[in-house]
Amino acid sequence: MGNPTHFSLEVPKRAHQLLRDLYEQLSDSEGTRLPLKATFLLSVSMPIVILPIERILNYKRKPADVHMNDAILNGRLADAVDRAIDLHAKVHTAKFFTGSWQYATLEKGSGFPNLAAVGLPENIATHLDSPQALEDARNLSANRFCKILRNALAHGGVLYLDQHGRSCSGAPVRRFAFVSTDSPKKPTKLYFLRIKMVDYRAFLQRWVDWLNEEAMEEILAEDLGLEAPDAEAVTISEEAAEATAK
């Protein structure tokens, strides 16, 4: 593959190809072995999630900025991204959403805890265990959901968690928590999105399929060699997905 014609479409597609081809060759996070599957999944997801937001959505909404503007390359795709990552519509209506996310918030009060040192606070973890956390995630605006995920990935706001969704040093990684503030300058609240590794992998598949589907104009598809998503190929059974996450 050469230089991308449409960076925000092709690079996520290439990154996801790496995920499909290489994920099963990595070691599990057991014993003394490094948690390479978790790290690889997280690393590959950065361009998949961030690029369409940074180079399509942001330029679509701020057309005066042009220095890295992929929005002009495919108007249909840019419009679709803008509609899907809606400022007000609930994220569960978006094509890229999967219903396994959990959401919680933490007020600053006298100060935020240092999550790098203490990990996921137990009161937040307990709330994330509740059915309400699933509903709260579904009812986030698509824009808020994507901002939390984008900010966490871009600024290192990610926690590795065990199978119970807790920070536990040395335990196999089975979940992620994505953490973002409500404001970059004077934050008053932390936002938490938690998800199992297996479900995060499924979300990335859905995200890439969504981008490809919205970009399927005849000329672009021919120029870039895009193919319609193969439902049989992209469907991962729960049993198989659980096995790959271990």
Side-chain angles (χ1 to χ4, degrees), residues 108-120:
K108 182 176 183 179
S110 59
F112 292 129
N114 182 359
L115 303 183
V118 303
L120 186 67

Side-chain angles (χ1 to χ4, degrees), residues 46 150-159 179:
M46 292 180 183
R150 178 265 176 209
N151 290 346
L153 289 170
H155 299 293
V158 182
L159 297 172
V179 188

Side-chain angles (χ1 to χ4, degrees), residues 8 44 53 60 68 73 91 102 114 122 132 136 154 163 166 168-169 171 195 215-216 229 244:
S8 299
V44 167
I53 295 173
K60 173 69 176 177
M68 284 289 182
L73 301 180
V91 69
Q102 300 161 320
N114 182 359
E122 180 57 32
Q132 186 61 48
D136 290 343
Q163 63 179 331
R166 267 60 175 178
C168 183
S169 179
I195 192 168
M216 290 300 288
T244 62

Side-chain angles (χ1 to χ4, degrees), residues 71-234:
I72 65 170
L73 301 180
N74 184 334
R76 177 184 172 185
L77 177 60
D79 289 342
V81 170
D82 189 31
R83 287 194 307 271
I85 306 180
D86 193 281
L87 292 170
H88 305 292
K90 295 178 180 179
V91 69
H92 71 81
T93 65
K95 292 181 180 180
F96 57 75
F97 186 73
T98 53
S100 48
W101 294 87
Q102 300 161 320
Y103 173 69
T105 64
L106 177 65
E107 298 290 341
K108 182 176 183 179
S110 59
F112 292 129
N114 182 359
L115 303 183
V118 303
L120 186 67
E122 180 57 32
N123 61 323
I124 296 298
T126 299
H127 179 76
L128 290 169
D129 292 338
S130 69
Q132 186 61 48
L134 286 167
E135 283 301 307
D136 290 343
R138 285 172 46 83
N139 291 322
L140 282 170
S141 72
N143 188 69
R144 173 63 66 193
F145 173 88
C146 289
K147 283 186 68 175
I148 296 171
L149 192 54
R150 178 265 176 209
N151 290 346
L153 289 170
H155 299 293
V158 182
L159 297 172
Y160 282 8
L161 306 175
D162 65 12
Q163 63 179 331
H164 304 295
R166 267 60 175 178
S167 297
C168 183
S169 179
V173 182
R174 294 292 181 263
R175 302 191 192 195
F176 297 127
F178 299 93
V179 188
S180 177
T181 61
D182 60 339
S183 172
K185 294 184 179 180
K186 294 183 179 180
T188 63
K189 185 183 298 185
L190 291 179
Y191 299 129
F192 296 84
L193 282 171
R194 190 176 70 178
I195 192 168
K196 294 180 180 178
M197 276 177 58
V198 61
D199 294 328
Y200 188 55
R201 188 182 179 193
F203 164 76
L204 295 177
Q205 177 73 67
R206 182 77 63 87
W207 180 274
V208 171
D209 287 347
W210 161 64
L211 289 174
N212 286 340
E213 179 184 343
E214 299 296 356
M216 290 300 288
E217 291 176 304
E218 183 175 352
I219 295 177
L220 187 64
E222 182 178 349
D223 286 349
L224 301 185
L226 295 177
E227 299 177 354
D230 184 338
E232 181 177 355
V234 302

Side-chain angles (χ1 to χ4, degrees), residues 21-110:
D21 292 350
L22 301 178
Y23 189 74
E24 297 308 322
Q25 300 179 32
L26 300 175
S27 63
D28 296 321
S29 55
E30 301 284 356
T32 60
R33 289 181 292 179
L34 294 174
L36 295 180
K37 282 191 172 181
T39 301
F40 183 67
L41 181 59
L42 184 65
S43 300
V44 167
S45 75
M46 292 180 183
I48 292 175
V49 174
I50 292 174
L51 286 176
I53 295 173
E54 290 298 305
R55 294 182 56 153
I56 297 178
L57 181 66
N58 287 352
Y59 287 106
K60 173 69 176 177
R61 293 179 178 175
K62 299 178 181 178
D65 297 329
V66 296
H67 71 286
M68 284 289 182
N69 186 358
D70 284 346
I72 65 170
L73 301 180
N74 184 334
R76 177 184 172 185
L77 177 60
D79 289 342
V81 170
D82 189 31
R83 287 194 307 271
I85 306 180
D86 193 281
L87 292 170
H88 305 292
K90 295 178 180 179
V91 69
H92 71 81
T93 65
K95 292 181 180 180
F96 57 75
F97 186 73
T98 53
S100 48
W101 294 87
Q102 300 161 320
Y103 173 69
T105 64
L106 177 65
E107 298 290 341
K108 182 176 183 179
S110 59

